[in-house]
Amino acid sequence: MKWFRCFLVTMLLSMLLAGCWGSREIEHMIYANTIGIDYVKDQVVVYIQMVNFSGVAKKESGTSQPQKTFLGKAQGESFDSALFNMYASSPQRIVWSNVKTIVFSERALKQGLVREVLDVWDRYYEFRYTVWAMATKEPMDKALNTQAIADLSVIYSQLNNPTKTYEQSSVIAPMYLYKFIWKWKEKGETVLLPYLEIKHGWTENKKPNPNLGVSGVCLLENQKFQGCLTVKDILGLRWLEKDTKRTPLELKEGKTIKAMMVMNKVKSSIHPKLRRGKPAFDIKVSMQATLPQLNTSLHKRKFELQAAKEIKDQIMGTYMKGLDKDIDLYGLSAIFRRSMPDAWSKLSTKGKIPLDSSSIEHIDIKVNLISGGISKMR
């Protein structure tokens, strides 16, 4: 009888356990790693890049295994219908909670698919806002099929993990989707969406081993696509970017590099004001510098002044490049709006204030050269 009572209590307690009958094994699901969005022949084309977790685990444990990239493709009249068409061809359930990056093609940006994509993103519980937002001019299938070098998983590439490269050389800041949405919706803001290109600077056993790298920014203003600019056109952006960690500066004499400086601890501020009824801005930038390469002999102060002049020229050069395209690259309109909302309302047209070459009145650059090549400097 005692044995029967123990058995009965055990059975009753076991009924309270949740169990794992409804669980799914990790290998029985498809984990989307990157979503690519294109627009071809009046159809929205969606790509998903699948991450191979078993390959990542074996690589990290020291077992070499070639990394494979799996790419799914579907199309439809809308972003949502393309996703449902993807389900029809998928052999297993697709999980979206692991997405790390969303990539728009230039055609998708021109077509204005951002609004449609963000509407779906807002409504589906598996999508997150802490994913990287990027663009590309490359064919989407080629971009997402590009392998990472050294048999690394794609989750360690610039496509899915751009911060490591940016910390070493800060030129174009990566952008999270939540920041993209904020700038896309905010009046007077300009979205600087990093765009990827396939680069061919690496080889594997003397064979070309192309990989993805950031080559410029695509611009969206007032929720409309405004074109793209390459790195050489936007070198001034890094000096006003709050996330800049470490960035190089070449000092040239003609075409000869006289010195290479590495800048860090970059701090900047933009002060808006009204000057004779027009918006005007003062810019201040300070930084520390080291000198890893030196091909001449100059006084420390002369190096600092020459670097300050070069940085000022880059800031104004980028600003003027934006004016040529009628783009406010530094978001001066948004800064003016937050500081002087009444004046902004009177002066703004089509969501931004008028800017010209005289709108930036003063640029104050302070460079503190702290180390490097001291034996060649006076």
Side-chain angles (χ1 to χ4, degrees):
M1 194 68 180
K2 186 178 180 180
W3 174 85
F4 179 76
R5 283 199 296 268
C6 291
F7 175 76
L8 185 61
V9 170
T10 304
M11 291 299 294
L12 289 172
L13 290 176
S14 65
M15 293 177 67
L16 299 177
L17 298 177
C20 301
W21 293 306
S23 67
R24 293 183 176 90
E25 297 292 338
I26 189 172
E27 64 268 21
H28 293 163
M29 292 182 283
I30 293 177
Y31 288 84
N33 189 59
T34 302
I35 299 178
I37 301 159
D38 201 357
Y39 189 80
V40 181
K41 296 180 180 180
D42 298 328
Q43 293 279 301
V44 179
V45 184
V46 174
Y47 296 83
I48 64 165
Q49 183 191 72
M50 175 189 167
V51 62
N52 182 2
F53 282 117
S54 62
V56 175
K58 291 180 179 179
K59 183 69 178 178
E60 291 183 346
S61 66
T63 305
S64 179
Q65 177 177 326
Q67 299 299 295
K68 295 180 180 180
T69 301
F70 298 93
L71 200 64
K73 175 184 176 183
Q75 62 185 44
E77 295 183 356
S78 66
F79 175 63
D80 204 21
S81 64
L83 290 181
F84 272 90
N85 291 335
M86 183 79 72
Y87 296 146
S89 63
S90 174
Q92 297 290 341
R93 183 181 186 273
I94 299 176
V95 179
W96 303 103
S97 57
N98 198 65
V99 172
K100 290 182 174 61
T101 308
I102 181 170
V103 183
F104 293 92
S105 72
E106 191 175 23
R107 288 188 295 261
L109 294 175
K110 288 179 180 177
Q111 188 62 24
L113 290 182
V114 171
R115 186 187 304 276
E116 186 177 315
V117 171
L118 292 183
D119 183 64
V120 175
W121 211 273
D122 282 337
R123 298 175 187 276
Y124 190 56
Y125 72 95
E126 281 193 16
F127 289 133
R128 296 174 294 118
Y129 295 98
T130 52
V131 303
W132 299 111
M134 299 183 182
T136 187
K137 296 182 177 182
E138 303 284 357
M140 190 64 70
D141 57 340
K142 290 185 179 179
L144 298 187
N145 268 316
T146 302
Q147 300 288 333
I149 63 170
D151 284 336
L152 291 173
S153 171
V154 291
I155 64 176
Y156 302 121
S157 67
Q158 284 204 52
L159 177 66
N160 295 146
N161 190 16
T163 55
K164 298 303 180 183
T165 302
Y166 184 71
E167 288 172 1
Q168 194 168 34
S169 180
S170 304
V171 179
I172 297 174
M175 178 173 284
Y176 275 119
L177 184 61
Y178 66 79
K179 187 175 182 180
F180 174 93
I181 295 171
W182 157 52
K183 286 184 172 287
W184 189 73
K185 291 184 176 181
E186 184 80 7
K187 290 183 179 179
E189 286 284 0
T190 302
V191 179
L192 307 175
L193 187 62
Y195 81 75
L196 299 165
E197 281 188 349
I198 298 175
K199 297 181 178 291
H200 301 274
W202 293 80
T203 60
E204 180 184 1
N205 294 328
K206 299 183 179 180
K207 295 180 181 179
N209 189 6
N211 66 309
L212 287 174
V214 177
S215 295
V217 292
C218 289
L219 311 166
L220 294 96
E221 194 174 69
N222 292 324
Q223 301 186 3
K224 294 181 180 178
F225 176 70
Q226 303 292 342
C228 301
L229 293 173
T230 61
V231 168
K232 66 178 182 179
D233 295 324
I234 54 171
L235 288 174
L237 286 175
R238 54 188 171 159
W239 308 117
L240 302 183
E241 171 58 54
K242 297 186 183 301
D243 292 330
T244 296
K245 306 293 184 185
R246 181 177 184 268
T247 190
L249 179 70
E250 293 179 349
L251 299 183
K252 291 184 176 181
E253 189 172 329
K255 294 184 178 181
T256 304
I257 296 178
K258 188 162 55 175
M260 171 70 79
M261 302 180 78
V262 177
M263 309 304 197
N264 52 59
K265 296 186 178 180
V266 179
K267 297 180 181 179
S268 63
S269 60
I270 301 177
H271 303 279
K273 58 186 178 181
L274 274 174
R275 181 72 70 193
R276 294 183 291 275
K278 294 177 58 179
F281 301 87
D282 293 337
I283 296 175
K284 292 184 178 181
V285 186
S286 64
M287 68 199 73
Q288 288 186 354
T290 57
L291 197 62
Q293 179 183 338
L294 180 62
N295 298 327
T296 187
S297 179
L298 283 179
H299 190 277
K300 174 178 179 289
R301 183 57 183 159
K302 288 185 178 180
F303 269 119
E304 292 173 341
L305 291 174
Q306 190 169 346
K309 180 182 181 304
E310 178 64 24
I311 292 167
K312 181 178 179 180
D313 290 344
Q314 289 185 6
I315 290 174
M316 280 304 299
T318 297
Y319 174 70
M320 296 304 296
K321 195 71 178 181
L323 289 185
D324 290 343
K325 288 183 169 288
D326 193 27
I327 296 293
D328 179 9
L329 284 173
Y330 295 137
L332 299 179
S333 184
I335 294 171
F336 190 83
R337 177 174 174 265
R338 288 191 288 269
S339 179
M340 303 179 185
D342 294 336
W344 186 90
S345 297
K346 293 178 182 178
L347 296 171
S348 63
T349 55
K350 296 182 179 179
K352 61 181 181 179
I353 56 175
L355 298 171
D356 56 37
S357 58
S358 64
S359 296
I360 296 180
E361 280 199 343
H362 301 288
I363 302 178
D364 181 24
I365 310 294
K366 292 184 179 179
V367 177
N368 180 22
L369 182 56
I370 59 173
S371 67
I374 300 301
S375 61
K376 296 184 180 180
M377 297 167 57
R378 299 188 301 273

